[in-house]
């Protein structure tokens, strides 16, 4: 195999979509009209949209081709069986329940198995996961390793579960724990991976305390690639083999196919337990649809099935992880405080460190994300006090971090788009200026890359 320094996008572009160039004053106006909430912008007023990597990826020609094969039968469609076979081949789980996206899988699982006062341990709950636990009057308990809470700390598997803390929870509150979850990769903690060794440790504890273990598997393929490249003894295995082992260590998973399903919509709940599966299917019929389509069209099931095959291909994952790392490297070089090391799907700027003068309850993440939009037309998202600060009693408390996430859609932007983002986060140098009172007359230019 040939090795080049530059990792090129492992695809050619067959179909393109124009982006709209706006002026700063247009963006100031659009943001004010949106109530300074980037979610409320019209997407066409955004130049580079890094709001999320969820459902925003580009599908392959093979996926679009598969869409034409969609069988739209209400019950027992051919597309469901193809989808089921692909998911089963990957995960090994007995029951495969399609849902329209990840949070539907979460809601169906938690509503079916949680009771008031229960505790769900996780490395870090994603916001929809937390909300779906809390709506059942249960506690979403985050037990990521201490390194996972410190943005500047470097650790190869910063998403790992703190096994000692999990054991304490199972020892003290075991009677209230219906299941243990681990999120791969850990989105809320910076898109950081979880090692196989850690998953094995969670499995062992779950066996000892007789608890089912579920993965929040949204980014399972990115996690598998990190294991391949960072965990001892894993380099010779394919990402698919590693992913299969990850799934085999758990009893089930919730999945948003909008991430590592490489699809624009879709998800599933997969599990081994027959009784739980029956309860979940009954609820699915009530709100999502018949168990062979679960709120999706037959053509969506085809797109997800093909996406799950493509996502574990090594050239894709190498490019995917490297392009995120590339943006991360450029921001580090520019002195921007970012979560270390680079995550799989996103780069996270430490807004609390960058805007140290803005107290958490004045939302430094919102201030930074809005400035990025006004100055550069880049849309990002705050993951901090606005997302997590509101307490069940209505008060506000700053969470551990105030981050701004730049999430990279899959197969959508080229290196020059990413260079633009990095360029806009650089400082300036003075090209001409007098020795005194230079701020009146100096000329500036952006620092070179
Ligand atoms: C870790 C994690 N879990 C669950 C979800 C929810 O998935 P969906 O947006 O498809 O409902 C997301 C979405 O971003 C996520 O990142």
């Amino acid at each position: 195999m040939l090795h080049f320094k530059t990792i090129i996008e492992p695809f050619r572009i067959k179909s393109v979509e124009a982006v709209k160039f706006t002026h700063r004053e247009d963006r100031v106006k659009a943001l004010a009209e949106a109530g300074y909430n980037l979610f409320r912008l019209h997407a066409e007023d955004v130049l580079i949209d890094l709001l999320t990597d969820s459902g925003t990826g580009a599908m392959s020609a093979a996926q679009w081709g598969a869409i034409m094969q969609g069988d739209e039968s209400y019950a027992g469609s051919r597309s469901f069986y193809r989808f089921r076979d692909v998911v089963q081949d990957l995960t090994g789980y007995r029951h495969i329940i399609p849902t329209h996206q990840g949070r539907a899988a979460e809601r169906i699982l938690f509503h079916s198995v949680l009771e008031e006062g229960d505790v769900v341990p996780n490395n870090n709950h994603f916001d929809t996961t937390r909300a779906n636990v809390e709506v059942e009057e249960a506690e979403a308990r985050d037990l990521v390793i201490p390194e996972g809470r410190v943005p500047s700390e470097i650790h190869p598997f910063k998403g790992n579960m703190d096994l000692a803390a999990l054991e304490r929870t199972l020892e003290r509150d075991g009677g209230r724990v219906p299941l243990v979850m681990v999120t791969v990769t850990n989105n809320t903690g910076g898109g950081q991976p979880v090692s196989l060794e850690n998953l094995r440790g969670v499995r062992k504890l779950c066996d000892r305390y007789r608890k089912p273990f579920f993965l929040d598997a949204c980014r399972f393929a990115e996690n598998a690639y990190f294991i391949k490249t960072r965990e001892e003894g894993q380099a010779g295995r394919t990402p698919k083999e590693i992913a299969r082992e990850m799934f085999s260590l758990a009893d089930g998973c919730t999945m948003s196919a909008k991430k590592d399903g490489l699809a624009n919509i879709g998800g599933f709940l997969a599990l081994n337990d027959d009784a739980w599966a029956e309860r979940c299917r009954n609820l699915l019929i009530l709100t999502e649809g018949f168990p062979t389509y679960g709120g999706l069209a037959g053509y969506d099931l085809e797109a997800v099935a093909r996406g799950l095959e493509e996502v574990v291909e090594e050239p894709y994952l190498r490019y995917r992880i490297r392009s995120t790392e590339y943006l991360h490297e450029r921001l580090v070089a520019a002195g921007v405080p970012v979560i270390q090391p680079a995550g799989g799907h996103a780069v996270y700027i430490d807004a609390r460190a960058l805007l140290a003068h803005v107290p958490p309850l004045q939302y430094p993440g919102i201030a930074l994300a809005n400035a990025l939009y006004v100055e550069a037309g880049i849309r990002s998202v705050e993951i901090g006090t606005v997302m997590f600060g509101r307490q069940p009693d209505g008060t506000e408390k700053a969470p551990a971090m105030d981050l701004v996430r730049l999430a990279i859609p899959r197969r959508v932007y080229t290196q020059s788009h990413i260079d633009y983002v990095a360029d806009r986060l650089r400082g300036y140098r003075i090209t001409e200026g007098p020795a005194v009172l230079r701020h009146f007359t100096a000329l500036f230019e952006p620092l070179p890359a």
Side-chain angles (χ1 to χ4, degrees):
M1 170 139 179
L2 292 170
H3 289 281
F4 299 101
K5 194 157 168 270
T6 304
I7 293 188
I8 61 168
E9 286 86 1
F11 46 79
R12 296 186 296 188
I13 298 168
K14 194 190 273 286
S15 179
V16 298
E17 200 181 356
V19 290
K20 186 170 115 188
F21 293 89
T22 54
H23 296 290
R24 190 179 188 280
E25 55 274 22
D26 303 329
R27 297 194 292 268
V28 167
K29 191 163 164 273
L31 189 60
E33 280 169 4
Y36 298 94
N37 181 347
L38 294 169
F39 278 97
R40 296 173 62 133
L41 286 174
H42 288 234
E44 66 173 8
D45 293 331
V46 175
L47 180 61
I48 306 277
D49 203 346
L50 307 183
L51 182 73
T52 175
D53 64 321
S54 180
T56 52
M59 288 202 289
S60 66
Q63 283 176 291
W64 285 111
I67 279 175
M68 288 306 292
Q69 307 288 325
D71 173 359
E72 303 306 335
S73 304
Y74 186 92
S77 96
R78 185 182 62 239
S79 302
F80 168 73
Y81 293 110
R82 165 148 164 70
F83 167 86
R84 185 201 61 182
D85 291 350
V86 170
V87 177
Q88 230 155 28
D89 176 57
L90 184 67
T91 66
Y93 301 136
R94 199 160 35 239
H95 302 282
I96 311 297
I97 301 173
T99 59
H100 79 274
Q101 61 184 87
R103 71 198 65 184
E106 291 161 7
R107 192 191 71 84
I108 285 164
L109 175 68
F110 294 143
H111 191 67
S112 302
V113 309
L114 293 190
E115 284 179 12
E116 195 180 324
D118 279 349
V119 177
V120 180
N122 201 327
N123 43 357
N124 282 114
H125 289 81
F126 182 64
D127 59 356
T128 60
T129 328
R130 169 172 295 280
N132 274 301
V133 169
E134 288 177 352
V135 80
E136 304 298 332
E137 307 281 339
E139 179 193 336
R141 193 173 290 179
D142 288 346
L143 300 176
V144 73
I145 54 171
E147 292 90 332
R149 299 174 199 266
V150 187
S152 57
E153 193 89 16
I154 297 196
H155 185 290
F157 292 104
K158 225 173 154 175
N160 278 355
M161 181 79 106
D162 182 338
L163 295 176
L166 176 61
E167 188 166 8
R168 276 195 301 279
T169 284
L170 292 171
E171 194 58 49
R172 286 182 202 156
D173 301 318
R176 298 192 288 136
V177 175
L179 76 162
V180 173
M181 277 196 105
V182 171
T183 306
V184 291
T185 58
N186 189 24
N187 185 3
T188 304
Q192 302 292 327
V194 179
S195 69
L196 268 182
E197 188 192 9
N198 190 255
L199 293 175
R200 291 191 193 112
V202 174
R203 173 79 264 164
K204 226 184 239 171
L205 285 171
C206 287
D207 284 344
R208 181 156 2 123
Y209 290 87
R210 297 171 166 272
K211 300 294 175 195
F213 170 24
F214 275 65
L215 292 177
D216 177 338
C218 296
R219 299 179 182 82
F220 73 93
E222 291 170 9
N223 199 90
Y225 192 74
F226 278 121
I227 288 175
K228 179 180 170 70
T229 51
R230 293 186 184 170
E231 192 161 349
E232 215 180 309
Q234 300 299 324
R237 301 175 77 193
T238 65
K240 185 170 177 182
E241 283 166 351
I242 296 170
R244 277 182 165 152
E245 184 174 349
M246 288 164 49
F247 286 114
S248 77
L249 289 164
D251 303 296
C253 70
T254 55
M255 173 73 187
S256 168
K258 300 173 74 173
K259 285 84 171 176
D260 277 353
L262 296 181
N264 300 126
I265 195 71
F268 56 85
L269 169 62
L271 68 171
N272 284 331
D273 188 276
D274 297 338
W276 277 20
E278 193 184 329
R279 263 191 259 168
C280 290
R281 279 204 186 95
N282 289 339
L283 185 57
L284 183 91
I285 292 174
L286 206 62
T287 58
E288 291 274 301
F290 192 73
T292 60
Y293 73 84
L296 294 170
Y299 56 70
D300 295 321
L301 294 166
E302 294 280 352
V304 174
R306 177 68 197 146
L308 289 170
E309 289 169 344
E310 291 178 7
V311 78
V312 289
E313 286 170 7
E314 207 163 323
Y316 162 73
L317 282 168
R318 186 185 314 120
Y319 138 81
R320 170 74 178 155
I321 299 301
R322 176 61 196 142
S323 37
T324 307
E325 190 182 58
Y326 173 75
L327 175 59
H328 186 268
E329 272 171 20
R330 293 216 40 201
L331 297 190
V332 170
V336 179
V338 286
I339 288 206
Q340 293 284 2
H345 66 293
V347 174
Y348 295 69
I349 302 175
D350 184 347
R352 203 179 284 173
L354 193 65
L355 305 185
H357 61 296
V358 181
L361 295 190
Q362 289 176 17
Y363 314 136
I366 296 291
L368 178 60
N370 285 355
L372 259 177
Y373 173 68
V374 166
E375 296 307 324
I378 299 164
R379 179 155 69 167
S380 54
V381 68
E382 187 250 24
I383 299 198
T385 306
V386 172
M387 195 178 272
F388 297 115
R390 196 182 149 87
Q391 304 301 299
D393 65 2
T395 60
E396 265 197 318
K397 194 173 122 209
M401 300 188 258
D402 270 296
L403 305 174
V404 166
R405 185 186 71 180
L406 305 174
I408 308 192
R410 293 167 179 79
R411 308 190 288 203
V412 169
Y413 293 117
T414 62
Q415 185 171 340
S416 66
H417 291 112
I418 298 298
D419 278 332
Y420 167 83
V421 174
D423 287 345
R424 297 312 300 263
L425 278 155
R426 276 184 290 122
Y428 282 74
R429 72 173 171 209
I430 293 175
T431 51
E432 264 181 66
V436 289
L437 294 178
R438 63 181 185 169
H439 55 288
F440 285 122
T441 54
L443 298 178
F444 298 88
E445 74 176 14
L447 276 170

